[in-house]
């Protein structure tokens, strides 16, 4: 019980303002079909036709913020989570929604197994020099 004299208990700090739980932002969803492809360094890019996401009233403010952040500069999933101060899981679900709506697309980094080994590059350079 708080000491406000009215017998009400406050479970939040009045200075913090309204509190929105992360699951409310995702409508209770904890994953998205595209989430398995959204690692921390996947880069999110706004589509060129996503000029005014604010006009789409089906999008949450967080969706609009993600499109806005990616509009001028592509952002990684980790950067978006840090900038929005949201958990990674929530950001992944929101990005998945935006991919479905074709407002953003995601580019994935090259898997380490597909990267060229540095020793192979050195051998190629040595071979070219020998020519």
């Amino acid at each position: 019980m708080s000491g406000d004299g009215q017998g009400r208990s406050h479970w939040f700090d009045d200075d913090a303002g309204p509190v929105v739980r992360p699951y409310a932002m995702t409508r209770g969803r904890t994953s998205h079909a595209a989430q398995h492809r959204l690692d921390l360094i996947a880069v999110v890019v706004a589509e060129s036709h996503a000029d005014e996401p604010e006009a789409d009233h089906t999008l949450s403010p967080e969706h609009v913020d993600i499109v806005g952040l990616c509009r001028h500069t592509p952002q990684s999933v980790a950067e978006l989570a840090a900038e929005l101060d949201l958990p990674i899981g929530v950001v992944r679900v929101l990005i998945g929604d935006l991919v479905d709506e074709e407002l953003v697309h995601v580019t994935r980094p090259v898997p380490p197994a597909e990267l060229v080994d540095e020793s192979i590059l050195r051998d190629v350079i040595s071979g070219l020099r020998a020519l």
Side-chain angles (χ1 to χ4, degrees):
M1 296 295 219
S2 67
D4 63 2
Q6 297 177 4
R8 298 181 312 186
S9 65
H10 288 283
W11 53 271
F12 61 91
D13 181 1
D14 288 330
D15 294 333
V19 176
V20 177
R21 298 286 181 216
Y23 63 82
M25 291 177 211
T26 62
R27 289 174 250 140
R29 296 170 297 146
T30 57
S31 65
H32 191 277
Q35 185 170 342
H36 69 280
R37 296 177 289 167
L38 294 176
D39 59 2
L40 294 176
I41 58 174
V43 177
V44 182
V45 181
E47 297 290 354
S48 59
H49 64 271
D51 289 336
E52 294 186 32
E54 309 85 23
D56 185 346
H57 298 293
T58 63
L59 297 177
S60 71
E62 292 78 19
H63 286 114
V64 173
D65 290 344
I66 290 171
V67 174
L69 288 169
C70 299
R71 185 176 290 135
H72 301 292
T73 306
Q75 303 281 320
S76 72
V77 174
E79 289 172 319
L80 289 169
E83 183 67 32
L84 298 171
D85 195 26
L86 292 174
I88 288 288
V90 170
V91 172
R92 285 179 173 159
V93 172
L94 297 174
I95 292 169
D97 294 343
L98 293 170
V99 168
D100 288 350
E101 295 294 323
E102 298 180 352
L103 294 172
V104 301
H105 68 272
V106 178
T107 59
R108 287 155 196 82
V110 177
E114 293 179 19
L115 292 174
V116 178
D117 186 12
E118 188 176 329
S119 65
I120 294 173
L121 292 176
R122 285 193 185 120
D123 291 344
V124 170
I125 292 171
S126 296
L128 290 173
R129 286 184 181 150
L131 294 175

mmCIF file of all heavy atoms in Angstrom, residues 54-75:
data_model
loop_
_atom_site.group_PDB
_atom_site.id
_atom_site.type_symbol
_atom_site.label_atom_id
_atom_site.label_comp_id
_atom_site.label_asym_id
_atom_site.label_seq_id
_atom_site.Cartn_x
_atom_site.Cartn_y
_atom_site.Cartn_z
ATOM 1 N N GLU A 54 3.748 6.595 -40.771
ATOM 2 C CA GLU A 54 2.819 7.160 -39.780
ATOM 3 C C GLU A 54 1.389 7.162 -40.301
ATOM 4 O O GLU A 54 0.434 7.138 -39.531
ATOM 5 C CB GLU A 54 3.204 8.608 -39.423
ATOM 6 C CG GLU A 54 4.639 8.822 -39.039
ATOM 7 C CD GLU A 54 5.562 9.027 -40.239
ATOM 8 O OE1 GLU A 54 5.107 9.423 -41.330
ATOM 9 O OE2 GLU A 54 6.760 8.757 -40.091
ATOM 10 N N ALA A 55 1.230 7.185 -41.619
ATOM 11 C CA ALA A 55 -0.105 7.230 -42.220
ATOM 12 C C ALA A 55 -0.820 5.893 -42.100
ATOM 13 O O ALA A 55 -2.044 5.838 -42.200
ATOM 14 C CB ALA A 55 -0.005 7.645 -43.684
ATOM 15 N N ASP A 56 -0.077 4.813 -41.894
ATOM 16 C CA ASP A 56 -0.675 3.493 -41.753
ATOM 17 C C ASP A 56 -1.072 3.309 -40.290
ATOM 18 O O ASP A 56 -0.229 3.108 -39.421
ATOM 19 C CB ASP A 56 0.324 2.412 -42.177
ATOM 20 C CG ASP A 56 -0.272 1.024 -42.180
ATOM 21 O OD1 ASP A 56 -1.374 0.834 -41.601
ATOM 22 O OD2 ASP A 56 0.359 0.119 -42.753
ATOM 23 N N HIS A 57 -2.368 3.362 -40.026
ATOM 24 C CA HIS A 57 -2.854 3.306 -38.645
ATOM 25 C C HIS A 57 -2.836 1.904 -38.052
ATOM 26 O O HIS A 57 -3.146 1.730 -36.884
ATOM 27 C CB HIS A 57 -4.258 3.909 -38.559
ATOM 28 C CG HIS A 57 -4.278 5.349 -38.955
ATOM 29 N ND1 HIS A 57 -3.663 6.330 -38.228
ATOM 30 C CD2 HIS A 57 -4.803 5.972 -40.036
ATOM 31 C CE1 HIS A 57 -3.815 7.503 -38.816
ATOM 32 N NE2 HIS A 57 -4.505 7.307 -39.933
ATOM 33 N N THR A 58 -2.455 0.906 -38.860
ATOM 34 C CA THR A 58 -2.334 -0.447 -38.329
ATOM 35 C C THR A 58 -0.968 -0.664 -37.677
ATOM 36 O O THR A 58 -0.777 -1.650 -36.977
ATOM 37 C CB THR A 58 -2.538 -1.506 -39.437
ATOM 38 O OG1 THR A 58 -1.507 -1.360 -40.415
ATOM 39 C CG2 THR A 58 -3.904 -1.365 -40.091
ATOM 40 N N LEU A 59 -0.034 0.251 -37.909
ATOM 41 C CA LEU A 59 1.306 0.127 -37.339
ATOM 42 C C LEU A 59 1.358 0.764 -35.955
ATOM 43 O O LEU A 59 0.769 1.826 -35.716
ATOM 44 C CB LEU A 59 2.339 0.794 -38.240
ATOM 45 C CG LEU A 59 2.522 0.211 -39.630
ATOM 46 C CD1 LEU A 59 3.532 1.031 -40.408
ATOM 47 C CD2 LEU A 59 2.949 -1.243 -39.554
ATOM 48 N N SER A 60 2.112 0.146 -35.073
ATOM 49 C CA SER A 60 2.319 0.714 -33.744
ATOM 50 C C SER A 60 3.375 1.812 -33.825
ATOM 51 O O SER A 60 4.126 1.891 -34.806
ATOM 52 C CB SER A 60 2.788 -0.383 -32.782
ATOM 53 O OG SER A 60 4.116 -0.767 -33.088
ATOM 54 N N PRO A 61 3.477 2.643 -32.795
ATOM 55 C CA PRO A 61 4.539 3.657 -32.789
ATOM 56 C C PRO A 61 5.936 3.044 -32.901
ATOM 57 O O PRO A 61 6.821 3.626 -33.512
ATOM 58 C CB PRO A 61 4.357 4.355 -31.434
ATOM 59 C CG PRO A 61 2.931 4.124 -31.074
ATOM 60 C CD PRO A 61 2.571 2.778 -31.647
ATOM 61 N N GLU A 62 6.118 1.846 -32.352
ATOM 62 C CA GLU A 62 7.420 1.183 -32.431
ATOM 63 C C GLU A 62 7.738 0.760 -33.861
ATOM 64 O O GLU A 62 8.878 0.880 -34.310
ATOM 65 C CB GLU A 62 7.458 -0.029 -31.495
ATOM 66 C CG GLU A 62 7.415 0.326 -30.021
ATOM 67 C CD GLU A 62 6.016 0.685 -29.510
ATOM 68 O OE1 GLU A 62 5.021 0.323 -30.164
ATOM 69 O OE2 GLU A 62 5.935 1.327 -28.456
ATOM 70 N N HIS A 63 6.727 0.284 -34.585
ATOM 71 C CA HIS A 63 6.915 -0.049 -36.003
ATOM 72 C C HIS A 63 7.360 1.194 -36.771
ATOM 73 O O HIS A 63 8.301 1.157 -37.567
ATOM 74 C CB HIS A 63 5.610 -0.569 -36.629
ATOM 75 C CG HIS A 63 5.240 -1.955 -36.233
ATOM 76 N ND1 HIS A 63 4.123 -2.218 -35.486
ATOM 77 C CD2 HIS A 63 5.813 -3.150 -36.495
ATOM 78 C CE1 HIS A 63 4.025 -3.525 -35.298
ATOM 79 N NE2 HIS A 63 5.045 -4.111 -35.901
ATOM 80 N N VAL A 64 6.668 2.299 -36.537
ATOM 81 C CA VAL A 64 6.982 3.556 -37.221
ATOM 82 C C VAL A 64 8.399 4.002 -36.879
ATOM 83 O O VAL A 64 9.149 4.450 -37.752
ATOM 84 C CB VAL A 64 5.943 4.642 -36.860
ATOM 85 C CG1 VAL A 64 6.347 6.001 -37.412
ATOM 86 C CG2 VAL A 64 4.553 4.244 -37.368
ATOM 87 N N ASP A 65 8.789 3.854 -35.614
ATOM 88 C CA ASP A 65 10.142 4.242 -35.196
ATOM 89 C C ASP A 65 11.202 3.414 -35.913
ATOM 90 O O ASP A 65 12.237 3.946 -36.329
ATOM 91 C CB ASP A 65 10.311 4.076 -33.676
ATOM 92 C CG ASP A 65 9.522 5.103 -32.881
ATOM 93 O OD1 ASP A 65 9.093 6.132 -33.467
ATOM 94 O OD2 ASP A 65 9.321 4.871 -31.673
ATOM 95 N N ILE A 66 10.958 2.117 -36.065
ATOM 96 C CA ILE A 66 11.933 1.255 -36.744
ATOM 97 C C ILE A 66 12.104 1.693 -38.186
ATOM 98 O O ILE A 66 13.225 1.845 -38.672
ATOM 99 C CB ILE A 66 11.508 -0.230 -36.655
ATOM 100 C CG1 ILE A 66 11.655 -0.726 -35.217
ATOM 101 C CG2 ILE A 66 12.335 -1.087 -37.613
ATOM 102 C CD1 ILE A 66 11.069 -2.098 -34.967
ATOM 103 N N VAL A 67 10.995 1.925 -38.889
ATOM 104 C CA VAL A 67 11.088 2.377 -40.286
ATOM 105 C C VAL A 67 11.813 3.714 -40.352
ATOM 106 O O VAL A 67 12.682 3.923 -41.207
ATOM 107 C CB VAL A 67 9.696 2.469 -40.938
ATOM 108 C CG1 VAL A 67 9.789 3.067 -42.339
ATOM 109 C CG2 VAL A 67 9.028 1.101 -40.998
ATOM 110 N N GLY A 68 11.512 4.613 -39.432
ATOM 111 C CA GLY A 68 12.167 5.925 -39.414
ATOM 112 C C GLY A 68 13.665 5.829 -39.194
ATOM 113 O O GLY A 68 14.439 6.523 -39.853
ATOM 114 N N LEU A 69 14.078 4.958 -38.293
ATOM 115 C CA LEU A 69 15.507 4.798 -38.020
ATOM 116 C C LEU A 69 16.247 4.196 -39.208
ATOM 117 O O LEU A 69 17.421 4.496 -39.434
ATOM 118 C CB LEU A 69 15.720 3.915 -36.787
ATOM 119 C CG LEU A 69 15.371 4.556 -35.448
ATOM 120 C CD1 LEU A 69 15.359 3.500 -34.345
ATOM 121 C CD2 LEU A 69 16.352 5.664 -35.115
ATOM 122 N N CYS A 70 15.562 3.340 -39.964
ATOM 123 C CA CYS A 70 16.207 2.652 -41.095
ATOM 124 C C CYS A 70 16.052 3.404 -42.406
ATOM 125 O O CYS A 70 16.614 2.988 -43.421
ATOM 126 C CB CYS A 70 15.617 1.252 -41.246
ATOM 127 S SG CYS A 70 15.880 0.220 -39.810
ATOM 128 N N ARG A 71 15.299 4.482 -42.405
ATOM 129 C CA ARG A 71 15.015 5.206 -43.644
ATOM 130 C C ARG A 71 16.269 5.770 -44.292
ATOM 131 O O ARG A 71 16.482 5.647 -45.488
ATOM 132 C CB ARG A 71 14.021 6.332 -43.373
ATOM 133 C CG ARG A 71 13.581 7.049 -44.640
ATOM 134 C CD ARG A 71 12.526 8.092 -44.377
ATOM 135 N NE ARG A 71 11.277 7.434 -44.007
ATOM 136 C CZ ARG A 71 10.513 7.826 -43.002
ATOM 137 N NH1 ARG A 71 10.861 8.852 -42.270
ATOM 138 N NH2 ARG A 71 9.401 7.199 -42.727
ATOM 139 N N HIS A 72 17.132 6.392 -43.509
ATOM 140 C CA HIS A 72 18.321 7.045 -44.068
ATOM 141 C C HIS A 72 19.582 6.198 -43.915
ATOM 142 O O HIS A 72 20.488 6.294 -44.730
ATOM 143 C CB HIS A 72 18.526 8.413 -43.420
ATOM 144 C CG HIS A 72 17.354 9.323 -43.613
ATOM 145 N ND1 HIS A 72 17.008 9.836 -44.835
ATOM 146 C CD2 HIS A 72 16.433 9.768 -42.742
ATOM 147 C CE1 HIS A 72 15.926 10.580 -44.713
ATOM 148 N NE2 HIS A 72 15.558 10.559 -43.442
ATOM 149 N N THR A 73 19.628 5.406 -42.857
ATOM 150 C CA THR A 73 20.805 4.590 -42.598
ATOM 151 C C THR A 73 20.370 3.186 -42.199
ATOM 152 O O THR A 73 19.618 3.039 -41.228
ATOM 153 C CB THR A 73 21.637 5.187 -41.436
ATOM 154 O OG1 THR A 73 21.939 6.549 -41.732
ATOM 155 C CG2 THR A 73 22.907 4.412 -41.229
ATOM 156 N N PRO A 74 20.806 2.173 -42.929
ATOM 157 C CA PRO A 74 20.481 0.801 -42.514
ATOM 158 C C PRO A 74 20.986 0.557 -41.095
ATOM 159 O O PRO A 74 22.038 1.045 -40.703
ATOM 160 C CB PRO A 74 21.227 -0.057 -43.530
ATOM 161 C CG PRO A 74 21.384 0.826 -44.729
ATOM 162 C CD PRO A 74 21.572 2.211 -44.180
ATOM 163 N N GLN A 75 20.212 -0.195 -40.327
ATOM 164 C CA GLN A 75 20.531 -0.453 -38.922
ATOM 165 C C GLN A 75 20.541 -1.951 -38.664
ATOM 166 O O GLN A 75 19.711 -2.683 -39.200
ATOM 167 C CB GLN A 75 19.464 0.175 -38.014
ATOM 168 C CG GLN A 75 19.263 1.659 -38.185
ATOM 169 C CD GLN A 75 20.319 2.460 -37.488
ATOM 170 O OE1 GLN A 75 20.733 2.126 -36.380
ATOM 171 N NE2 GLN A 75 20.772 3.509 -38.125
#
